Amino acid sequence: MVTKTKTYIGRTVLTFGGGTVLLLLLLFIHMNQGSVSIAPKTILEAIFAPKDVLEHHTIRYLRMPRAVIGVLAGGALAVSGALLQTITKNPLASASTLGIHSGSYFAVVFASVFISSTSGWSGLLVAFVGGILTAVLVYTLAGVANASPVKMVLAGMVVTMMFSAFTSMLQIFFENETAGLFLWGSGTLVQNNWEGVQFTYPFIFVGMVGSLLIARSLDLFQLGDEVATGLGQNIERTRIITITLAVFLTAVTVSVVGPIGFVGIIAPHLIKLLGFQKHYLVILGSFLWGAIVLIGADVLARILDPTFSELPVGAITAFIGAPWLIFLIMRKQNKNYSSKDTGILAGQIKSVKFQRWIIPILVAIALLTLFIGISTGNKGIQLVETFQAIFMNNDTFIKNMALDLRLPRLLVAAGSGILLAISGYIFQGVLRNPLADPSVIGITSGAGVGAMIFLFIGSVSAVWVPVGAFTGAIIAFLIVMVLAYRADFQPALLALLGIGVSAFGSAIIQIIVVRSDMAVASALTWLSGTTYAKSWTELLYYLVGPLIILVPIVFLISDRIHTLALGDDTAKGLGLPVLKTRFYLALLASIVAAASVATVGTIGFVGLIAPHVARMLLGPAHKQLFMTSALLGGVFLMIADVLSRTLLVPKEIPSGIIIAIIGAPYFLWLMNRSNKWKM
């Protein structure tokens, strides 16, 4: 007993005493960084014996506010994560994984466009309202108190993708009104004075006091709802107060430094790994180590960028935190995510007569969409004029517009949609995971990283962009496959691992965008996925080969995909080499997705939605499922292309944003509809 007590005291001293020393050291290093070198002695003098000289003013009014806001923001985010993890009974919960950051950020951007000012109280209120609404949305979709950890994180991921699409659209169309918000939206500690600190610290102090006051209630809450109720706790009141405090702390940080992810996952888990369970110590320890994580990330960002052009610290925390998330998923796989139940929507077998007509109907819809697309422009839909121009040569201008400009981009959209749908169809079959698609499991993000590196860092022609996309996709594929193999290809785990890989890729992309000094609108447009200005060149160079060679191969071996979908034991009993087949089919799906990314950028949800809708129309394992999924993918992206250039004429919305705006609510509807889905 004495030994245990000494060990506990030693651990506490190391955690809090050692943590304080480490934080002070990082703060000193942090204030020593900058475009102007200042001697350590001068820094100490500026802090403890300030004089009216330039060096002291630089320290006291530029570098110290940045360091202090880093401590406050990091601590607040970590405490928010600790509260959310307890109240949701989800070890992966944080403001970033549950989508609260994205909701708050969207609310602030929306207010910046349509309201004159979002500084101070108004910015905090807007961020808080956005965060609360997002938390309620995710919590409701995931099943409220009975939500599984996986379902809650997936709901947060999809809500994040949806709000990111809305935010990108506002930033693209209101570039002047949202100027400067891109770096802030990636998370930055830049401060020009003490105003941000003066505004923030009273709110964070209130949030911390509130968190400590409910610490005992959270200790009881961890024992289970029945035990806590039996001990006199009001569970619903505790849940509401805790979520409100967590969102409030998040909103305070977002309103000043922007959305900074993963601090709320890293710090609380460090404290819990050290053996602390009582929430009084967990909250205090999380605040201290959250500050250490964020200040350390900012120090690292400035080391990586010696020009001090400001890498977003949010990208650095994601760069560090995504591997940490993957580590936590792998570490807790047997406790939290071991179920292999995969069905969100299995589909119902339809009548033979209906099945016979589905392909002709989809072909007709595709042709109709194609003709409407080439007939639609700034002057609206001109079906008769376009028909006469093409077949009767009545109007050369309209004919050239339809055949030389609109037709190739529609065919590019159709080809890319087909490839994305086929990729999702393969992934969902071979991994027995109805959530699998190239964007959800990280392949699209990897391809985007590769393409961005070749496009904006390498001094090479844009012709080499597909090489970068293919390279990035294969690397992401190998990472996911290695992790999935170690996790026994559990569907729920694979979806969560994909979130981690995607977050890592997104962090790299953010760093590339800022470092390469890209125009924000053009960067967001490409990253959102667009068919804008696509010509016969992209169609012939990037899509024709995969469509002619890879698609028939997938069709010929689609019976193996259906066999794998039956389960490993059944597939082995039928003589199929499961691991080898799964690996090569997943590799094929990654290459197919990479071809699409190289052509139109990172478009999500097509590979998720098309196979789902195909199963709704045909049933779970119909022989025409492959062709139906492919046609639906092509039709979806063509419709998105038409809507992208007609909804806000003369401006154009990236097709990927249209797909996300449609696809995210559809996916959330699926989650809400699947009451029997347990993970």
Side-chain angles (χ1 to χ4, degrees), residues 137-138 140-143 147-159 343-345 435 608 612 664-677 679:
L137 175 62
V138 171
T140 302
L141 289 168
S148 68
V150 176
K151 197 169 184 180
M152 188 170 290
V153 173
L154 288 172
M157 176 200 71
V158 178
V159 167
I344 288 183
L345 185 66
L435 301 176
L608 182 69
H612 267 293
Y666 173 80
F667 183 81
L668 295 173
W669 172 76
L670 280 180
M671 294 188 72
N672 191 48
R673 184 171 178 259
S674 58
N675 295 324
K676 295 182 180 180
W677 178 39
M679 280 188 168

Side-chain angles (χ1 to χ4, degrees), residues 73 87 149 189 251 262 282 298 318 400 413 423 425 447 543 553 622 631 634 636:
I87 208 65
L189 300 182
F262 290 97
V282 168
D298 204 35
N400 292 337
S423 180
Y425 164 80
L543 296 178
I553 292 175
H622 194 272
L631 285 170
F636 287 160

Side-chain angles (χ1 to χ4, degrees), residues 16-33:
F16 290 91
T20 301
V21 172
L22 178 58
L23 178 59
L24 292 174
L25 177 62
L26 286 172
L27 285 171
F28 187 77
I29 296 172
H30 187 273
M31 285 189 286
N32 198 34
Q33 292 177 306

Side-chain angles (χ1 to χ4, degrees), residues 342-349 434 612 615-616 618-621 673:
T342 62
I344 288 183
L345 185 66
Q348 298 179 352
I349 297 176
H612 267 293
R615 291 189 189 94
M616 290 177 66
L618 293 174
R673 184 171 178 259

Side-chain angles (χ1 to χ4, degrees), residues 28-329:
F28 187 77
I29 296 172
H30 187 273
M31 285 189 286
N32 198 34
Q33 292 177 306
S35 55
V36 178
S37 179
I38 299 178
K41 180 181 178 181
T42 306
I43 295 175
L44 293 174
E45 289 176 350
I47 297 173
F48 298 107
K51 298 177 182 177
D52 189 17
V53 294
L54 179 60
E55 290 85 354
H56 287 199
H57 288 310
T58 300
I59 295 296
R60 293 183 64 84
Y61 297 106
L62 291 179
R63 298 187 185 179
M64 282 184 66
R66 179 175 183 147
V68 173
I69 202 68
V71 172
L72 294 172
L77 290 171
V79 172
S80 173
L83 297 178
L84 289 171
Q85 286 160 25
T86 297
I87 208 65
T88 62
K89 300 176 183 177
N90 181 355
L92 303 179
S94 74
S96 52
T97 55
L98 298 187
I100 297 171
H101 271 151
S102 63
S104 295
Y105 179 41
F106 168 72
V108 172
V109 173
F110 182 88
S112 298
V113 173
F114 299 106
I115 301 175
S116 59
S117 174
T118 56
S119 60
W121 281 88
S122 60
L124 173 59
L125 179 62
V126 167
F128 179 70
V129 171
I132 282 288
L133 293 177
T134 306
V136 170
L137 175 62
V138 171
Y139 211 55
T140 302
L141 289 168
V144 195
N146 298 320
S148 68
V150 176
K151 197 169 184 180
M152 188 170 290
V153 173
L154 288 172
M157 176 200 71
V158 178
V159 167
T160 296
M161 295 174 72
M162 179 175 66
F163 279 126
S164 295
F166 292 151
T167 303
S168 296
M169 184 168 64
L170 289 176
Q171 288 179 309
I172 289 169
F173 290 114
F174 299 94
E175 192 170 5
N176 292 332
E177 291 84 349
T178 59
L181 288 180
F182 183 79
L183 178 61
W184 174 83
S186 300
T188 177
L189 300 182
V190 174
Q191 301 290 304
N192 294 323
N193 49 48
W194 286 95
E195 288 183 5
V197 173
Q198 290 170 346
F199 173 77
T200 303
Y201 83 84
F203 295 113
I204 293 180
F205 177 78
V206 170
M208 282 295 297
V209 171
S211 301
L212 292 172
L213 288 175
I214 64 168
R216 184 175 178 277
S217 297
L218 293 176
D219 289 337
L220 296 176
F221 185 85
Q222 274 192 319
L223 301 175
D225 290 3
E226 293 181 1
V227 175
T229 302
L231 293 173
Q233 292 296 314
N234 187 324
I235 297 299
E236 288 304 316
R237 184 176 64 188
T238 301
R239 185 176 284 117
I240 292 171
I241 292 173
T242 305
I243 292 177
T244 302
L245 281 171
V247 174
F248 178 74
L249 288 169
T250 300
V252 171
T253 60
V254 169
S255 65
V256 177
V257 300
I260 298 175
F262 290 97
V263 176
I265 288 182
I266 299 173
H269 277 286
L270 280 175
I271 299 302
K272 292 172 184 176
L273 284 173
L274 290 170
F276 296 99
Q277 297 298 326
K278 296 293 184 181
H279 277 83
Y280 184 81
L281 291 176
V282 168
I283 290 169
L284 293 176
S286 295
F287 188 93
L288 173 62
W289 283 88
I292 291 171
V293 169
L294 190 53
I295 292 296
D298 204 35
V299 169
L300 179 60
R302 303 170 97 186
I303 291 174
L304 293 176
D305 181 20
T307 64
F308 298 100
S309 59
E310 291 303 336
L311 284 180
V313 69
I316 301 299
T317 58
F319 190 79
I320 300 169
W324 182 262
L325 176 63
I326 293 171
F327 163 74
L328 290 174
I329 293 167

Side-chain angles (χ1 to χ4, degrees), residues 498-559:
I499 293 173
V501 173
S502 294
F504 190 76
S506 298
I508 296 175
I509 288 174
Q510 282 184 339
I511 292 171
I512 292 173
V513 169
V514 175
R515 288 287 291 116
S516 58
D517 238 0
M518 292 174 53
V520 171
S522 62
L524 290 173
T525 299
W526 192 90
L527 292 172
S528 301
T530 179
T531 50
Y532 176 74
K534 302 303 177 186
S535 64
W536 295 106
T537 302
E538 285 83 5
L539 182 68
L540 294 174
Y541 282 11
Y542 304 158
L543 296 178
V544 170
L547 288 170
I548 293 177
I549 299 172
L550 298 181
V551 173
I553 292 175
V554 177
F555 178 73
L556 292 174
I557 61 176
S558 59
D559 57 331

Side-chain angles (χ1 to χ4, degrees), residues 407-617:
L407 180 60
R409 67 177 287 173
L410 281 163
L411 292 177
V412 166
S416 298
I418 288 171
L419 293 178
L420 288 172
I422 290 173
S423 180
Y425 164 80
I426 298 173
F427 277 126
Q428 290 176 22
V430 301
L431 301 176
R432 305 191 313 279
N433 184 356
L435 301 176
D437 114 303
S439 60
V440 172
I441 66 172
I443 305 301
T444 300
S445 179
V449 171
M452 291 286 283
I453 289 174
F454 272 67
L455 189 58
F456 300 113
I457 291 184
S459 300
V460 295
S461 169
V463 176
W464 290 94
V465 170
V467 177
F470 280 115
T471 304
I474 298 305
I475 292 173
F477 159 77
L478 292 174
I479 294 172
V480 171
M481 285 299 103
V482 169
L483 295 171
Y485 177 77
R486 292 189 60 190
D488 195 27
F489 288 99
Q490 295 177 40
L493 271 171
L494 188 61
L496 293 177
L497 291 171
I499 293 173
V501 173
S502 294
F504 190 76
S506 298
I508 296 175
I509 288 174
Q510 282 184 339
I511 292 171
I512 292 173
V513 169
V514 175
R515 288 287 291 116
S516 58
D517 238 0
M518 292 174 53
V520 171
S522 62
L524 290 173
T525 299
W526 192 90
L527 292 172
S528 301
T530 179
T531 50
Y532 176 74
K534 302 303 177 186
S535 64
W536 295 106
T537 302
E538 285 83 5
L539 182 68
L540 294 174
Y541 282 11
Y542 304 158
L543 296 178
V544 170
L547 288 170
I548 293 177
I549 299 172
L550 298 181
V551 173
I553 292 175
V554 177
F555 178 73
L556 292 174
I557 61 176
S558 59
D559 57 331
R560 300 185 184 183
I561 298 173
H562 294 154
T563 303
L564 284 174
L566 298 175
D568 288 2
D569 294 337
T570 303
K572 289 177 182 177
L574 295 172
L576 193 69
V578 173
L579 288 180
K580 184 178 179 180
T581 303
R582 177 177 282 122
F583 179 85
Y584 285 117
L585 283 171
L587 176 61
L588 184 61
S590 301
I591 294 173
V592 168
S596 174
V597 174
T599 310
V600 296
T602 53
I603 294 179
F605 287 109
V606 174
L608 182 69
I609 297 173
H612 267 293
V613 175
R615 291 189 189 94
M616 290 177 66
L617 295 174

